[in-house]
């Protein structure tokens, strides 16, 4: 059973309750990623990682047999340059006690997961952690499978178990919650501009408009 409400304000994510686990964004997994355009997954997971850093959300990086499957992609490793990913042999990340120990030490129960592939290395830990008392959120647009069907079936299976699907920009919105929180808003803006696609472009345009003087010399 999950610990918190599925509706109401308490169902939304907060930085203080969240812990992020990023699973196996490695070259080997990308070579058979067919559910999404690979560059989109790179963009989204790096954006998600940067947002986690803005909000000081503990983030666990993992790889599987990296000596054969490749190191974590550079763009993601660069977000946490001093953090060594936990390299494991278990297909199911949640069966590796080192990963679970790191998560448990945070004391946080809203577990956010993204990884490759959705149907295996995301679904397995998500379903297991759910059964161990965590509220599990899977960032579907920072995940991918070997086919569109594989990804879709994995999301459906996890939903039936009680996992909450979410996107990376929705995570950022729930963590920010109020644009008056300038301490994080000022750092979040550049991340959205770089990784938010058309939303990032529109945000940059809005900043331009706000900075444009009116005919009397005042700002907009």
């Amino acid at each position: 059973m999950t610990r918190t409400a599925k509706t109401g304000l308490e169902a939304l994510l907060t930085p203080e309750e969240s812990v992020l686990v990023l699973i196996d964004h490695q070259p080997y997994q990308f070579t058979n990623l067919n559910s999404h355009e690979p560059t989109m997954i790179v963009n989204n997971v790096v954006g998600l990682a940067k947002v986690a850093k803005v909000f000081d959300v503990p983030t666990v990086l993992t790889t599987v047999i990296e000596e054969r499957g490749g190191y974590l992609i550079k763009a993601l490793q660069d977000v946490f340059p001093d953090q060594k990913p936990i390299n494991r042999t278990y297909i199911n990340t949640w069966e590796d006690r080192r990963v679970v120990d790191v998560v448990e030490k945070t004391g946080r129960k809203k577990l956010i997961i993204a990884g490759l592939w959705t149907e295996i290395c995301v679904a397995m830990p998500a379903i297991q952690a759910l059964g161990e008392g965590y509220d599990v959120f899977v960032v579907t647009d920072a995940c991918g499978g070997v086919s569109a069907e594989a990804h879709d079936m994995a999301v459906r299976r996890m939903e039936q178990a009680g996992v909450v699907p979410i996107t990376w920009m929705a995570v950022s919105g729930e963590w920010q919650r109020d644009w008056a929180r300038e301490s994080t808003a000022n750092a979040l803006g550049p991340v959205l501009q770089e990784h938010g696609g058309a939303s990032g472009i529109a945000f940059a345009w809005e900043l331009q408009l706000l900075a444009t003087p009116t005919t009397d010399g005042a700002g907009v």
Side-chain angles (χ1 to χ4, degrees):
M1 296 295 293
T2 51
R3 300 171 60 89
T4 60
K6 290 296 182 185
T7 59
L9 192 60
E10 290 184 357
L12 301 180
L13 293 168
T14 65
E16 296 78 15
E17 296 176 299
S18 300
V19 55
L20 175 65
V21 178
L22 300 178
I23 301 171
D24 305 350
H25 291 90
Q26 301 167 252
Y28 176 80
Q29 275 72 13
F30 274 100
T31 61
N32 197 27
L33 171 61
N34 298 295
S35 61
H36 298 75
E37 168 55 48
T39 56
M40 184 182 78
I41 300 300
V42 172
N43 175 78
N44 293 349
V45 72
V46 173
L48 175 63
K50 289 180 179 179
V51 171
K53 196 167 187 178
V54 166
F55 289 96
D56 292 322
V57 171
T59 301
V60 183
L61 306 175
T62 79
T63 53
V64 59
I65 317 179
E66 66 178 22
E67 60 274 16
R68 294 166 65 182
Y71 298 120
L72 195 70
I73 57 171
K74 185 177 184 300
L76 182 53
Q77 183 68 74
D78 285 349
V79 181
F80 303 99
D82 300 323
Q83 183 175 337
K84 173 65 177 171
I86 297 174
N87 186 38
R88 54 179 216 289
T89 59
Y90 284 104
I91 295 175
N92 177 5
T93 303
W94 211 250
E95 289 188 66
D96 191 306
R97 192 66 228 178
R98 295 170 299 167
V99 176
V100 178
D101 285 347
V102 172
V103 173
E104 286 182 348
K105 286 177 182 176
T106 69
R108 301 171 181 220
K109 286 294 185 178
K110 288 195 174 181
L111 176 64
I112 303 168
I113 297 176
L116 303 176
W117 298 308
T118 321
E119 63 273 25
I120 300 174
C121 294
V122 174
M124 294 170 78
I127 291 169
Q128 182 178 349
L130 191 72
E132 295 178 6
Y134 288 86
D135 289 308
V136 182
F137 298 75
V138 167
V139 186
T140 57
D141 62 349
C143 301
V146 300
S147 67
E149 181 178 8
H151 175 81
D152 183 47
M153 290 303 104
V155 174
R156 291 193 198 185
R157 181 187 181 193
M158 288 187 285
E159 280 186 296
Q160 288 182 339
V163 172
V164 180
I166 195 168
T167 60
W168 82 270
M169 289 186 68
V171 171
S172 71
E174 292 190 21
W175 282 345
Q176 179 62 36
R177 203 73 65 85
D178 185 350
W179 288 117
R181 296 173 180 168
E182 294 183 3
S183 60
T184 50
N186 290 336
L188 179 60
V191 178
L192 297 180
Q193 288 183 57
E194 184 177 2
H195 297 280
S199 296
I201 293 169
F203 182 67
W205 182 34
E206 181 179 359
L207 293 178
Q208 175 191 334
L209 293 176
L210 290 172
T212 301
T214 60
T215 54
D216 63 2
V220 174

